[in-house]
mmCIF file of all heavy atoms in Angstrom:
data_model
loop_
_atom_site.group_PDB
_atom_site.id
_atom_site.type_symbol
_atom_site.label_atom_id
_atom_site.label_comp_id
_atom_site.label_asym_id
_atom_site.label_seq_id
_atom_site.Cartn_x
_atom_site.Cartn_y
_atom_site.Cartn_z
ATOM 1 N N ALA A 4 -19.501 -25.784 68.095
ATOM 2 C CA ALA A 4 -19.445 -24.647 69.022
ATOM 3 C C ALA A 4 -18.727 -23.497 68.338
ATOM 4 O O ALA A 4 -17.772 -23.709 67.588
ATOM 5 C CB ALA A 4 -18.723 -25.037 70.307
ATOM 6 N N THR A 5 -19.203 -22.281 68.587
ATOM 7 C CA THR A 5 -18.576 -21.109 67.976
ATOM 8 C C THR A 5 -18.443 -19.993 69.001
ATOM 9 O O THR A 5 -19.217 -19.895 69.965
ATOM 10 C CB THR A 5 -19.404 -20.570 66.789
ATOM 11 O OG1 THR A 5 -20.713 -20.194 67.246
ATOM 12 C CG2 THR A 5 -19.523 -21.599 65.684
ATOM 13 N N HIS A 6 -17.420 -19.152 68.799
ATOM 14 C CA HIS A 6 -17.240 -17.925 69.570
ATOM 15 C C HIS A 6 -17.061 -16.797 68.568
ATOM 16 O O HIS A 6 -16.389 -16.964 67.547
ATOM 17 C CB HIS A 6 -16.003 -17.996 70.468
ATOM 18 C CG HIS A 6 -16.042 -19.098 71.482
ATOM 19 N ND1 HIS A 6 -16.898 -19.084 72.554
ATOM 20 C CD2 HIS A 6 -15.326 -20.245 71.571
ATOM 21 C CE1 HIS A 6 -16.711 -20.175 73.279
ATOM 22 N NE2 HIS A 6 -15.764 -20.902 72.699
ATOM 23 N N GLU A 7 -17.659 -15.647 68.839
ATOM 24 C CA GLU A 7 -17.493 -14.492 67.963
ATOM 25 C C GLU A 7 -16.261 -13.720 68.412
ATOM 26 O O GLU A 7 -16.182 -13.254 69.548
ATOM 27 C CB GLU A 7 -18.736 -13.604 68.031
ATOM 28 C CG GLU A 7 -18.712 -12.471 67.023
ATOM 29 C CD GLU A 7 -20.004 -11.667 67.045
ATOM 30 O OE1 GLU A 7 -21.057 -12.227 66.682
ATOM 31 O OE2 GLU A 7 -19.943 -10.488 67.445
ATOM 32 N N PHE A 8 -15.300 -13.585 67.484
ATOM 33 C CA PHE A 8 -14.017 -12.986 67.858
ATOM 34 C C PHE A 8 -13.305 -12.530 66.593
ATOM 35 O O PHE A 8 -13.342 -13.214 65.578
ATOM 36 C CB PHE A 8 -13.150 -14.028 68.579
ATOM 37 C CG PHE A 8 -12.309 -13.461 69.678
ATOM 38 C CD1 PHE A 8 -12.775 -13.418 70.975
ATOM 39 C CD2 PHE A 8 -11.040 -12.956 69.413
ATOM 40 C CE1 PHE A 8 -11.991 -12.895 72.005
ATOM 41 C CE2 PHE A 8 -10.261 -12.433 70.428
ATOM 42 C CZ PHE A 8 -10.737 -12.405 71.737
ATOM 43 N N HIS A 9 -12.638 -11.365 66.646
ATOM 44 C CA HIS A 9 -11.863 -10.955 65.470
ATOM 45 C C HIS A 9 -10.602 -10.173 65.814
ATOM 46 O O HIS A 9 -9.991 -9.575 64.929
ATOM 47 C CB HIS A 9 -12.733 -10.148 64.496
ATOM 48 C CG HIS A 9 -13.264 -8.860 65.059
ATOM 49 N ND1 HIS A 9 -14.564 -8.738 65.498
ATOM 50 C CD2 HIS A 9 -12.681 -7.654 65.249
ATOM 51 C CE1 HIS A 9 -14.762 -7.505 65.940
ATOM 52 N NE2 HIS A 9 -13.635 -6.837 65.788
ATOM 53 N N VAL A 10 -10.177 -10.166 67.070
ATOM 54 C CA VAL A 10 -8.904 -9.533 67.428
ATOM 55 C C VAL A 10 -7.801 -10.566 67.197
ATOM 56 O O VAL A 10 -7.655 -11.519 67.962
ATOM 57 C CB VAL A 10 -8.910 -9.057 68.892
ATOM 58 C CG1 VAL A 10 -7.574 -8.397 69.230
ATOM 59 C CG2 VAL A 10 -10.059 -8.093 69.138
ATOM 60 N N LEU A 11 -7.023 -10.378 66.128
ATOM 61 C CA LEU A 11 -6.144 -11.436 65.633
ATOM 62 C C LEU A 11 -5.099 -11.885 66.647
ATOM 63 O O LEU A 11 -4.863 -13.082 66.818
ATOM 64 C CB LEU A 11 -5.463 -10.989 64.334
ATOM 65 C CG LEU A 11 -4.619 -12.042 63.619
ATOM 66 C CD1 LEU A 11 -5.462 -13.258 63.266
ATOM 67 C CD2 LEU A 11 -3.978 -11.464 62.368
ATOM 68 N N ASP A 12 -4.443 -10.953 67.347
ATOM 69 C CA ASP A 12 -3.389 -11.343 68.288
ATOM 70 C C ASP A 12 -3.935 -12.236 69.404
ATOM 71 O O ASP A 12 -3.355 -13.283 69.718
ATOM 72 C CB ASP A 12 -2.736 -10.097 68.888
ATOM 73 C CG ASP A 12 -1.904 -9.321 67.873
ATOM 74 O OD1 ASP A 12 -1.595 -9.921 66.818
ATOM 75 O OD2 ASP A 12 -1.578 -8.147 68.115
ATOM 76 N N GLN A 13 -5.044 -11.828 70.000
ATOM 77 C CA GLN A 13 -5.651 -12.640 71.052
ATOM 78 C C GLN A 13 -6.170 -13.960 70.491
ATOM 79 O O GLN A 13 -6.096 -15.005 71.144
ATOM 80 C CB GLN A 13 -6.783 -11.865 71.725
ATOM 81 C CG GLN A 13 -6.326 -10.607 72.446
ATOM 82 C CD GLN A 13 -7.487 -9.852 73.056
ATOM 83 O OE1 GLN A 13 -8.498 -10.436 73.400
ATOM 84 N NE2 GLN A 13 -7.336 -8.533 73.168
ATOM 85 N N LEU A 14 -6.687 -13.891 69.278
ATOM 86 C CA LEU A 14 -7.223 -15.087 68.638
ATOM 87 C C LEU A 14 -6.132 -16.129 68.430
ATOM 88 O O LEU A 14 -6.312 -17.319 68.743
ATOM 89 C CB LEU A 14 -7.848 -14.692 67.292
ATOM 90 C CG LEU A 14 -8.610 -15.749 66.518
ATOM 91 C CD1 LEU A 14 -9.691 -16.377 67.380
ATOM 92 C CD2 LEU A 14 -9.220 -15.139 65.264
ATOM 93 N N GLN A 15 -4.980 -15.707 67.927
ATOM 94 C CA GLN A 15 -3.875 -16.643 67.721
ATOM 95 C C GLN A 15 -3.402 -17.231 69.046
ATOM 96 O O GLN A 15 -3.030 -18.409 69.124
ATOM 97 C CB GLN A 15 -2.721 -15.950 67.002
ATOM 98 C CG GLN A 15 -2.996 -15.635 65.540
ATOM 99 C CD GLN A 15 -1.756 -15.802 64.683
ATOM 100 O OE1 GLN A 15 -1.106 -16.838 64.709
ATOM 101 N NE2 GLN A 15 -1.440 -14.780 63.905
ATOM 102 N N SER A 16 -3.423 -16.412 70.104
ATOM 103 C CA SER A 16 -3.011 -16.900 71.413
ATOM 104 C C SER A 16 -3.921 -18.032 71.881
ATOM 105 O O SER A 16 -3.452 -19.044 72.421
ATOM 106 C CB SER A 16 -3.023 -15.743 72.417
ATOM 107 O OG SER A 16 -2.672 -16.204 73.709
ATOM 108 N N MET A 17 -5.211 -17.899 71.636
ATOM 109 C CA MET A 17 -6.158 -18.941 72.045
ATOM 110 C C MET A 17 -6.015 -20.195 71.190
ATOM 111 O O MET A 17 -6.114 -21.318 71.693
ATOM 112 C CB MET A 17 -7.582 -18.392 71.998
ATOM 113 C CG MET A 17 -7.850 -17.392 73.119
ATOM 114 S SD MET A 17 -9.569 -16.851 73.215
ATOM 115 C CE MET A 17 -9.643 -15.764 71.801
ATOM 116 N N ILE A 18 -5.763 -20.006 69.900
ATOM 117 C CA ILE A 18 -5.574 -21.165 69.025
ATOM 118 C C ILE A 18 -4.292 -21.900 69.412
ATOM 119 O O ILE A 18 -4.241 -23.135 69.417
ATOM 120 C CB ILE A 18 -5.536 -20.711 67.546
ATOM 121 C CG1 ILE A 18 -6.914 -20.211 67.136
ATOM 122 C CG2 ILE A 18 -5.103 -21.863 66.633
ATOM 123 C CD1 ILE A 18 -6.952 -19.537 65.798
ATOM 124 N N ALA A 19 -3.244 -21.166 69.769
ATOM 125 C CA ALA A 19 -1.985 -21.786 70.193
ATOM 126 C C ALA A 19 -2.169 -22.625 71.451
ATOM 127 O O ALA A 19 -1.382 -23.544 71.715
ATOM 128 C CB ALA A 19 -0.925 -20.714 70.425
ATOM 129 N N ARG A 20 -3.205 -22.329 72.224
ATOM 130 C CA ARG A 20 -3.506 -23.108 73.425
ATOM 131 C C ARG A 20 -4.471 -24.260 73.138
ATOM 132 O O ARG A 20 -4.907 -24.959 74.058
ATOM 133 C CB ARG A 20 -4.098 -22.193 74.501
ATOM 134 C CG ARG A 20 -3.079 -21.261 75.133
ATOM 135 C CD ARG A 20 -3.761 -20.229 76.042
ATOM 136 N NE ARG A 20 -2.792 -19.509 76.865
ATOM 137 C CZ ARG A 20 -2.049 -18.498 76.445
ATOM 138 N NH1 ARG A 20 -2.159 -18.095 75.182
ATOM 139 N NH2 ARG A 20 -1.197 -17.899 77.260
ATOM 140 N N GLY A 21 -4.812 -24.424 71.857
ATOM 141 C CA GLY A 21 -5.684 -25.531 71.488
ATOM 142 C C GLY A 21 -7.144 -25.303 71.822
ATOM 143 O O GLY A 21 -7.922 -26.263 71.947
ATOM 144 N N LEU A 22 -7.574 -24.036 71.938
ATOM 145 C CA LEU A 22 -8.948 -23.737 72.329
ATOM 146 C C LEU A 22 -9.917 -23.707 71.155
ATOM 147 O O LEU A 22 -11.125 -23.590 71.358
ATOM 148 C CB LEU A 22 -8.996 -22.393 73.066
ATOM 149 C CG LEU A 22 -8.189 -22.328 74.374
ATOM 150 C CD1 LEU A 22 -8.258 -20.934 74.972
ATOM 151 C CD2 LEU A 22 -8.707 -23.363 75.360
ATOM 152 N N GLY A 23 -9.410 -23.789 69.923
ATOM 153 C CA GLY A 23 -10.293 -23.772 68.768
ATOM 154 C C GLY A 23 -9.523 -23.534 67.483
ATOM 155 O O GLY A 23 -8.287 -23.539 67.472
ATOM 156 N N VAL A 24 -10.280 -23.326 66.399
ATOM 157 C CA VAL A 24 -9.702 -23.062 65.080
ATOM 158 C C VAL A 24 -10.411 -21.840 64.496
ATOM 159 O O VAL A 24 -11.475 -21.433 64.972
ATOM 160 C CB VAL A 24 -9.861 -24.275 64.133
ATOM 161 C CG1 VAL A 24 -9.184 -25.500 64.700
ATOM 162 C CG2 VAL A 24 -11.346 -24.571 63.861
ATOM 163 N N THR A 25 -9.834 -21.264 63.438
ATOM 164 C CA THR A 25 -10.468 -20.097 62.821
ATOM 165 C C THR A 25 -10.067 -19.969 61.360
ATOM 166 O O THR A 25 -9.003 -20.445 60.946
ATOM 167 C CB THR A 25 -10.090 -18.800 63.570
ATOM 168 O OG1 THR A 25 -10.922 -17.732 63.094
ATOM 169 C CG2 THR A 25 -8.629 -18.422 63.339
ATOM 170 N N ALA A 26 -10.922 -19.321 60.597
ATOM 171 C CA ALA A 26 -10.609 -18.999 59.205
ATOM 172 C C ALA A 26 -9.742 -17.753 59.181
ATOM 173 O O ALA A 26 -9.993 -16.801 59.925
ATOM 174 C CB ALA A 26 -11.900 -18.764 58.421
ATOM 175 N N VAL A 27 -8.703 -17.742 58.320
ATOM 176 C CA VAL A 27 -7.771 -16.616 58.269
ATOM 177 C C VAL A 27 -7.420 -16.271 56.825
ATOM 178 O O VAL A 27 -7.556 -17.090 55.918
ATOM 179 C CB VAL A 27 -6.459 -16.919 59.034
ATOM 180 C CG1 VAL A 27 -6.718 -17.063 60.527
ATOM 181 C CG2 VAL A 27 -5.771 -18.165 58.484
ATOM 182 N N GLN A 28 -6.946 -15.053 56.646
ATOM 183 C CA GLN A 28 -6.409 -14.651 55.352
ATOM 184 C C GLN A 28 -5.078 -15.371 55.122
ATOM 185 O O GLN A 28 -4.342 -15.642 56.077
ATOM 186 C CB GLN A 28 -6.202 -13.140 55.312
ATOM 187 C CG GLN A 28 -7.475 -12.334 55.466
ATOM 188 C CD GLN A 28 -7.219 -10.840 55.413
ATOM 189 O OE1 GLN A 28 -6.262 -10.373 54.801
ATOM 190 N NE2 GLN A 28 -8.081 -10.071 56.059
ATOM 191 N N PRO A 29 -4.738 -15.673 53.866
ATOM 192 C CA PRO A 29 -3.503 -16.426 53.604
ATOM 193 C C PRO A 29 -2.230 -15.644 53.898
ATOM 194 O O PRO A 29 -1.150 -16.214 53.931
ATOM 195 C CB PRO A 29 -3.602 -16.773 52.116
ATOM 196 C CG PRO A 29 -4.477 -15.717 51.547
ATOM 197 C CD PRO A 29 -5.472 -15.392 52.630
ATOM 198 N N THR A 30 -2.354 -14.336 54.120
ATOM 199 C CA THR A 30 -1.181 -13.518 54.416
ATOM 200 C C THR A 30 -0.859 -13.494 55.908
ATOM 201 O O THR A 30 0.151 -12.894 56.306
ATOM 202 C CB THR A 30 -1.413 -12.078 53.940
ATOM 203 O OG1 THR A 30 -2.689 -11.636 54.411
ATOM 204 C CG2 THR A 30 -1.372 -11.992 52.424
ATOM 205 N N VAL A 31 -1.688 -14.107 56.753
ATOM 206 C CA VAL A 31 -1.462 -14.042 58.188
ATOM 207 C C VAL A 31 -0.152 -14.735 58.561
ATOM 208 O O VAL A 31 0.217 -15.759 57.979
ATOM 209 C CB VAL A 31 -2.646 -14.677 58.961
ATOM 210 C CG1 VAL A 31 -2.683 -16.183 58.783
ATOM 211 C CG2 VAL A 31 -2.586 -14.325 60.436
ATOM 212 N N ARG A 32 0.558 -14.158 59.507
ATOM 213 C CA ARG A 32 1.796 -14.759 59.996
ATOM 214 C C ARG A 32 1.484 -15.528 61.273
ATOM 215 O O ARG A 32 1.152 -14.916 62.294
ATOM 216 C CB ARG A 32 2.847 -13.684 60.264
ATOM 217 C CG ARG A 32 3.312 -12.982 58.988
ATOM 218 C CD ARG A 32 4.438 -12.017 59.280
ATOM 219 N NE ARG A 32 4.921 -11.368 58.068
ATOM 220 C CZ ARG A 32 5.937 -10.503 58.034
ATOM 221 N NH1 ARG A 32 6.563 -10.201 59.162
ATOM 222 N NH2 ARG A 32 6.305 -9.958 56.894
ATOM 223 N N PRO A 33 1.581 -16.846 61.241
ATOM 224 C CA PRO A 33 1.185 -17.624 62.418
ATOM 225 C C PRO A 33 2.112 -17.392 63.603
ATOM 226 O O PRO A 33 3.330 -17.304 63.454
ATOM 227 C CB PRO A 33 1.245 -19.071 61.918
ATOM 228 C CG PRO A 33 2.183 -19.046 60.754
ATOM 229 C CD PRO A 33 2.012 -17.705 60.121
ATOM 230 N N ALA A 34 1.503 -17.323 64.786
ATOM 231 C CA ALA A 34 2.280 -17.214 66.021
ATOM 232 C C ALA A 34 2.841 -18.589 66.381
ATOM 233 O O ALA A 34 2.475 -19.609 65.774
ATOM 234 C CB ALA A 34 1.371 -16.692 67.134
ATOM 235 N N ASP A 35 3.738 -18.628 67.345
ATOM 236 C CA ASP A 35 4.266 -19.911 67.821
ATOM 237 C C ASP A 35 3.112 -20.789 68.292
ATOM 238 O O ASP A 35 2.217 -20.329 69.012
ATOM 239 C CB ASP A 35 5.239 -19.682 68.979
ATOM 240 C CG ASP A 35 6.535 -19.029 68.530
ATOM 241 O OD1 ASP A 35 6.821 -19.062 67.316
ATOM 242 O OD2 ASP A 35 7.250 -18.473 69.396
ATOM 243 N N GLY A 36 3.144 -22.046 67.868
ATOM 244 C CA GLY A 36 2.096 -22.979 68.258
ATOM 245 C C GLY A 36 0.889 -22.972 67.352
ATOM 246 O O GLY A 36 -0.079 -23.694 67.595
ATOM 247 N N VAL A 37 0.923 -22.162 66.285
ATOM 248 C CA VAL A 37 -0.196 -22.061 65.343
ATOM 249 C C VAL A 37 0.284 -22.471 63.952
ATOM 250 O O VAL A 37 1.370 -22.087 63.522
ATOM 251 C CB VAL A 37 -0.762 -20.627 65.289
ATOM 252 C CG1 VAL A 37 -1.863 -20.522 64.233
ATOM 253 C CG2 VAL A 37 -1.296 -20.213 66.657
ATOM 254 N N LEU A 38 -0.527 -23.250 63.257
ATOM 255 C CA LEU A 38 -0.270 -23.627 61.868
ATOM 256 C C LEU A 38 -1.371 -23.057 60.981
ATOM 257 O O LEU A 38 -2.546 -23.075 61.365
ATOM 258 C CB LEU A 38 -0.230 -25.150 61.715
ATOM 259 C CG LEU A 38 0.854 -25.906 62.489
ATOM 260 C CD1 LEU A 38 0.681 -27.415 62.270
ATOM 261 C CD2 LEU A 38 2.245 -25.461 62.054
ATOM 262 N N VAL A 39 -0.989 -22.547 59.820
ATOM 263 C CA VAL A 39 -1.962 -22.058 58.843
ATOM 264 C C VAL A 39 -1.982 -23.035 57.678
ATOM 265 O O VAL A 39 -0.937 -23.307 57.065
ATOM 266 C CB VAL A 39 -1.614 -20.638 58.366
ATOM 267 C CG1 VAL A 39 -2.556 -20.205 57.253
ATOM 268 C CG2 VAL A 39 -1.693 -19.659 59.530
ATOM 269 N N LYS A 40 -3.171 -23.585 57.383
ATOM 270 C CA LYS A 40 -3.307 -24.612 56.352
ATOM 271 C C LYS A 40 -4.395 -24.226 55.343
ATOM 272 O O LYS A 40 -5.396 -23.613 55.720
ATOM 273 C CB LYS A 40 -3.720 -25.943 56.997
ATOM 274 C CG LYS A 40 -2.752 -26.485 58.039
ATOM 275 C CD LYS A 40 -1.673 -27.316 57.391
ATOM 276 C CE LYS A 40 -0.811 -28.018 58.436
ATOM 277 N NZ LYS A 40 0.188 -28.890 57.779
ATOM 278 N N PRO A 41 -4.211 -24.616 54.074
ATOM 279 C CA PRO A 41 -5.309 -24.423 53.125
ATOM 280 C C PRO A 41 -6.434 -25.404 53.399
ATOM 281 O O PRO A 41 -6.214 -26.498 53.926
ATOM 282 C CB PRO A 41 -4.652 -24.703 51.763
ATOM 283 C CG PRO A 41 -3.477 -25.565 52.073
ATOM 284 C CD PRO A 41 -3.007 -25.177 53.441
#
């Protein structure tokens, strides 16, 4: 399943709620509840 989305702040909020995953630049600063992994 996929959703088209690119607003980073809202995107991190949804990932922090466990609603999905996303590809990110390595410079992104993860919000609380979000992990950035290679």
Side-chain angles (χ1 to χ4, degrees):
T5 60
H6 299 290
E7 187 176 294
F8 216 92
H9 62 258
V10 180
L11 186 58
D12 290 344
Q13 296 178 28
L14 187 54
Q15 289 216 52
S16 178
M17 288 186 286
I18 292 171
R20 287 171 168 80
L22 298 177
V24 301
T25 191
V27 294
Q28 298 180 27
T30 49
V31 70
R32 294 185 178 182
D35 290 342
V37 176
L38 298 177
V39 174
K40 301 273 188 177

